[in-house]
Amino acid sequence: MLHEETRSQWERYNPQHFINTVMHGALQDKIKLTSTVIHVYTQIIFRLPETDTVLLADPMPGDLPTTGLRDVFVTMRWNAAEMVDIIQGGSATLPTQYTPALYITSMVQALKEHAVYIHQAASALQADPAVRAIRRRLPNGKGMAEVAAEILDHTTEIIRFLNFAQYYVDKLKTCA
C-alpha cells in the first residue's frame, strides 16, 4: 500500500531516481503481481465447467450487450499483460524531446487505460447477479465476488501509484 510516509519520501527524489525506484521498482512489481493473479484466476475459471455459460447481466464497456464471464477474464488478462509489456519498455517510442517528466507522463497515460479497464471489469463482476449466483468456491476457498474484490484491490493500488506519479510530474513542472 502506498503510505503517506513513502509518498513523502518519493516526492523528494530527483526524476531519474523516481523513475528507477517508483516506476520501474514498486509500480512494476505491483503490475507483475496483478498480472500473475489475473492470469491464475483466468486459468481456474476456464477449468470450472459451470463458468462456460455464465453471461453477465450488464455489458462491459465497449462490448456486446452480453458478455461471458470467461471473456471478461481473458480481456482482463490481456490488459494486465499489456501493462507488464508497457512497464518493461514495450510502450510507444519516446518523444524526440525526451524529459523524465514526459517519460513518466507517457507511462502513466499508457498504463492507466489498461488499469481502469481491469478495475471497471472487476467492479462489474463483483456486482453482477449471475456471477454472485456461482456458489462454487475456487481452490483457494474464495467465491467469485471475493476474486473480483481481490483484483479491485490490486488495480486500486496501481491507480494510486499512477495518480501519485502524475502528481509528481505536476509538482516537477511547478518547481521548474
Coordinates of all heavy atoms in Angstrom, one line a residue, residues 21-35 87:
T21 N 13.1 3.9 -8.9 CA 12.5 3.4 -7.7 C 11.0 3.2 -7.7 O 10.6 2.1 -7.3 CB 12.9 4.3 -6.5 OG1 14.3 4.5 -6.4 CG2 12.4 3.8 -5.2
V22 N 10.3 4.1 -8.2 CA 8.8 4.1 -8.2 C 8.3 3.4 -9.4 O 7.6 2.4 -9.3 CB 8.2 5.5 -8.0 CG1 6.7 5.4 -8.0 CG2 8.7 6.1 -6.8
M23 N 8.6 3.9 -10.6 CA 8.1 3.4 -11.8 C 8.6 2.0 -12.2 O 7.8 1.1 -12.4 CB 8.3 4.3 -13.0 CG 7.8 5.8 -12.8 SD 6.1 5.9 -12.6 CE 5.5 5.5 -14.2
H24 N 9.9 1.8 -12.1 CA 10.5 0.6 -12.5 C 10.8 -0.3 -11.3 O 11.5 -1.3 -11.4 CB 11.7 0.8 -13.4 CG 11.4 1.3 -14.7 ND1 10.7 0.6 -15.7 CD2 11.5 2.5 -15.3 CE1 10.5 1.4 -16.7 NE2 11.0 2.5 -16.5
G25 N 10.4 0.1 -10.2 CA 10.5 -0.7 -8.9 C 9.2 -1.1 -8.4 O 8.6 -2.1 -8.8
A26 N 8.6 -0.2 -7.5 CA 7.4 -0.6 -6.8 C 6.2 -0.8 -7.7 O 5.5 -1.7 -7.6 CB 7.1 0.5 -5.7
L27 N 6.0 0.1 -8.7 CA 4.9 0.0 -9.6 C 5.0 -1.2 -10.5 O 4.1 -1.9 -10.7 CB 4.8 1.3 -10.4 CG 3.6 1.3 -11.5 CD1 2.3 1.0 -10.8 CD2 3.6 2.6 -12.3
Q28 N 6.2 -1.4 -11.0 CA 6.4 -2.6 -11.9 C 6.2 -3.9 -11.1 O 5.5 -4.8 -11.6 CB 7.9 -2.6 -12.4 CG 8.1 -3.7 -13.4 CD 9.5 -3.6 -14.1 OE1 9.9 -2.5 -14.3 NE2 10.0 -4.7 -14.4
D29 N 6.6 -4.0 -9.9 CA 6.4 -5.2 -9.1 C 4.9 -5.4 -8.8 O 4.4 -6.5 -8.9 CB 7.1 -5.1 -7.7 CG 8.6 -5.1 -7.8 OD1 9.1 -5.5 -8.9 OD2 9.2 -4.8 -6.8
K30 N 4.1 -4.3 -8.6 CA 2.7 -4.4 -8.4 C 2.0 -4.8 -9.6 O 1.0 -5.6 -9.6 CB 2.1 -3.0 -7.9 CG 0.7 -3.0 -7.5 CD 0.5 -4.0 -6.3 CE -0.9 -4.1 -5.9 NZ -1.1 -5.1 -4.8
I31 N 2.4 -4.3 -10.8 CA 1.8 -4.7 -12.0 C 2.0 -6.1 -12.3 O 1.1 -6.9 -12.8 CB 2.3 -3.8 -13.2 CG1 1.6 -2.4 -13.0 CG2 2.0 -4.4 -14.5 CD1 2.2 -1.3 -14.0
K32 N 3.3 -6.6 -12.1 CA 3.6 -8.0 -12.4 C 2.8 -8.9 -11.4 O 2.3 -10.0 -11.9 CB 5.1 -8.3 -12.2 CG 5.9 -7.8 -13.3 CD 7.4 -8.1 -13.0 CE 8.3 -7.7 -14.1 NZ 9.7 -7.9 -13.7
L33 N 2.6 -8.5 -10.2 CA 1.8 -9.3 -9.2 C 0.4 -9.4 -9.7 O -0.2 -10.5 -9.7 CB 1.9 -8.8 -7.8 CG 1.0 -9.4 -6.8 CD1 1.4 -10.9 -6.6 CD2 1.1 -8.7 -5.5
T34 N -0.2 -8.3 -10.1 CA -1.6 -8.2 -10.5 C -1.8 -9.0 -11.8 O -2.7 -9.8 -11.9 CB -2.0 -6.7 -10.8 OG1 -1.7 -6.0 -9.6 CG2 -3.4 -6.6 -11.2
S35 N -0.8 -9.0 -12.7 CA -0.9 -9.8 -13.9 C -0.9 -11.3 -13.6 O -1.7 -12.0 -14.1 CB 0.2 -9.4 -14.8 OG 0.2 -10.2 -16.0
I87 N 5.3 -1.4 -18.9 CA 6.2 -1.0 -17.8 C 7.6 -1.6 -18.0 O 8.6 -1.1 -17.5 CB 5.6 -1.5 -16.4 CG1 6.3 -0.7 -15.3 CG2 5.7 -2.9 -16.2 CD1 5.9 0.7 -15.1

